[in-house]
Amino acid sequence: MNQKQEFELIEESPKKSSSLKWWLLGVISAILLGVAFFVPLPYYIEMPGGAYDIRQVLKVDNKEDEEKGSYHFVAISQMHATFAGLVYAWLTPFTDISTAQESLGDYTEDEYLRLNQFYMETSQNEAIYQAFKLADKPVDLKYFGVYVLDVAKDSTFKGILGLADTVTGVNGKTFESSKDLIDYVAKQKIGDKVTVQYLSDDKEKEASGKIIKLDNGKNGIGIGLVDHTEVETKIPVTFSTGNVGGPSAGLMFTLDILDQINDEDLRKGRQISGTGTIEQDGSVGDIGGADKKVVSAAKDGVDIFFVPNNPIPEELLKQEPDAKTNYQEAKEAAKKIKTKMKIIPVKNVQDAINYLKKTS
């Protein structure tokens, strides 16, 4: 190699080195972006989801509901957090970050989805039952027991009862609702022996344990539960909610079904939404994320939003003196986003019906 060739090679080396640095920087940046946007972290993000016209998921008597106005149920969006998602959540109002334990408890994601499907199933059955009762039409609600959703760590039934088992009786007694079962167990004394009858994989089984003191101060066996029911009507009612789970659409399902099987039009052309569970006695139960649901409904142009307004239990107030009712949470959220949507407090389904009847 002559001197001229050697000089040319020396001159080219810095350019190649610079190109290599930029190439490596690009690769590293791409990897970091991929990590930030796609690698899941042990956190979950909850934010306002959407408000959905119930006619999209509900059909009564196999007919299309073509009346003016609509009822909406609202949902909260929950997603596995990434680093980019956490940054977004920190910067966005009405968006919460929680640990996997806080969001899922001891469940896997699949178990958590299954649990919420149980809640949805019960909610739909209770809504049909309430609507037909209010319309004075034939309806039969069959109670099979309670689905086991969780077993407390200090329960003597831990490792015996599992997710989706159905408790059919206690001490040989059967009940008409989960409330009756809970009330019966609560009357037993701490340490008393109790025998539970249950179904597991369609097999009848029995197990014995003891009454313990629950976190809420009452006596019990230490299981989380929801009614396992089935409803029968002469007018068919079908749902197609897909992967949407949870019990909080119960009130709105009830109102929508009632409007379709009754002669009176409660909607009167209005966009109506809300949240709250529905119980066998017609009471509307509390839910989580009332603030986020208000935001979801307001974005969808809703006129009226029903929300539970139940007193806060004394035990909870002792632990959380600043605890708020669902109605208080909803009112605060509505004020922050400056919506003209009317926030209406209810304690039972009749409260909502009365409001719709007297307003237009």
Side-chain angles (χ1 to χ4, degrees):
M1 182 182 293
N2 59 37
Q3 288 184 343
K4 183 178 180 181
Q5 290 174 320
E6 184 177 352
F7 177 76
E8 288 175 348
L9 287 174
I10 293 172
E11 284 291 303
E12 290 174 359
S13 294
K15 293 181 181 179
K16 290 182 179 180
S17 178
S18 178
S19 298
L20 180 61
K21 287 178 181 179
W22 282 109
W23 182 82
L24 285 173
L25 185 60
V27 170
I28 292 170
S29 298
I31 292 172
L32 290 176
L33 282 172
V35 169
F37 281 92
F38 299 109
V39 176
L41 300 174
Y43 297 95
Y44 283 82
I45 297 172
E46 285 190 354
M47 65 184 72
Y52 305 97
D53 190 331
I54 292 177
R55 287 176 292 197
Q56 297 174 4
V57 301
L58 169 67
K59 188 167 285 189
V60 178
D61 203 15
N62 299 313
K63 298 176 181 177
E64 296 295 331
D65 178 4
E66 297 179 347
E67 293 293 328
K68 292 181 180 180
S70 60
Y71 290 104
H72 300 253
F73 70 96
V74 285
I76 291 177
S77 177
Q78 185 184 61
M79 63 180 69
H80 216 144
T82 61
F83 180 77
L86 291 179
V87 173
Y88 172 84
W90 285 322
L91 299 174
T92 307
F94 303 106
T95 304
D96 295 330
I97 301 169
S98 58
T99 64
Q101 177 66 31
E102 289 169 338
S103 292
L104 306 181
D106 295 325
Y107 302 113
T108 64
E109 286 191 5
D110 287 342
E111 288 173 336
Y112 185 74
L113 290 172
R114 190 179 182 193
L115 178 154
N116 276 287
Q117 289 303 312
F118 292 149
Y119 278 126
M120 176 59 81
E121 174 191 312
T122 300
S123 173
Q124 292 170 353
N125 288 340
E126 292 290 359
I128 297 169
Y129 179 69
Q130 284 299 321
F132 276 73
K133 265 190 20 176
L134 289 163
D136 197 24
K137 295 186 182 294
V139 60
D140 183 27
L141 184 70
K142 294 182 179 180
Y143 174 81
F144 297 109
V146 295
Y147 283 122
V148 176
L149 304 181
D150 187 25
V151 183
K153 292 180 180 179
D154 57 344
S155 172
T156 55
F157 291 93
K158 185 73 173 178
I160 299 173
L161 296 176
L163 178 66
D165 286 347
T166 297
V167 173
T168 57
V170 179
N171 290 342
K173 299 180 182 294
T174 57
F175 306 92
E176 296 300 319
S177 70
S178 57
K179 182 180 182 302
D180 292 341
L181 185 153
I182 292 169
D183 289 346
Y184 170 77
V185 172
K187 293 176 182 177
Q188 312 306 307
K189 296 179 181 178
I190 301 295
D192 279 357
K193 182 181 176 181
V194 61
T195 302
V196 168
Q197 292 76 45
Y198 66 104
L199 292 172
S200 183
D201 295 326
D202 295 324
K203 295 179 181 178
E204 295 184 359
K205 296 184 178 183
E206 188 171 274
S208 295
K210 292 183 179 181
I211 298 294
I212 63 171
K213 179 69 74 175
L214 305 178
D215 291 340
N216 62 10
K218 296 181 180 181
N219 296 350
I221 59 176
I223 64 169
L225 49 82
V226 67
D227 284 348
H228 180 179
T229 58
E230 185 178 289
V231 67
E232 293 181 356
T233 61
K234 291 183 178 179
I235 301 172
V237 179
T238 55
F239 287 91
S240 54
T241 47
N243 290 326
V244 178
S248 64
L251 171 62
M252 299 314 300
F253 285 157
T254 302
L255 293 173
D256 195 299
I257 296 168
L258 177 63
D259 240 8
Q260 294 190 59
I261 62 175
N262 222 6
D263 295 330
E264 185 175 8
D265 176 23
L266 295 174
R267 276 181 294 193
K268 303 173 188 175
R270 295 171 289 186
Q271 305 297 315
I272 303 164
S273 187
T275 186
T277 67
I278 191 72
E279 310 300 331
Q280 281 194 34
D281 61 359
S283 60
V284 176
D286 294 331
I287 50 80
D291 57 340
K292 299 174 185 62
K293 292 176 180 178
V294 165
V295 175
S296 297
K299 286 181 178 179
D300 208 49
V302 166
D303 303 312
I304 298 166
F305 188 88
F306 291 115
V307 63
N309 188 30
N310 299 309
I312 300 171
E314 290 185 8
E315 289 296 324
L316 178 58
L317 279 175
K318 289 178 183 177
Q319 299 173 19
E320 301 178 33
D322 297 329
K324 297 172 184 174
T325 65
N326 281 173
Y327 177 58
Q328 289 171 328
E329 293 174 348
K331 285 288 285 185
E332 287 183 6
K335 185 177 180 180
K336 285 181 181 178
I337 63 175
K338 299 178 180 179
T339 178
K340 294 181 180 179
M341 181 174 66
K342 295 177 181 177
I343 310 297
I344 308 301
V346 295
K347 292 185 178 178
N348 54 64
V349 65
Q350 194 62 51
D351 288 344
I353 293 170
N354 292 343
Y355 178 85
L356 294 175
K357 282 183 175 182
K358 71 181 183 181
T359 58
S360 58

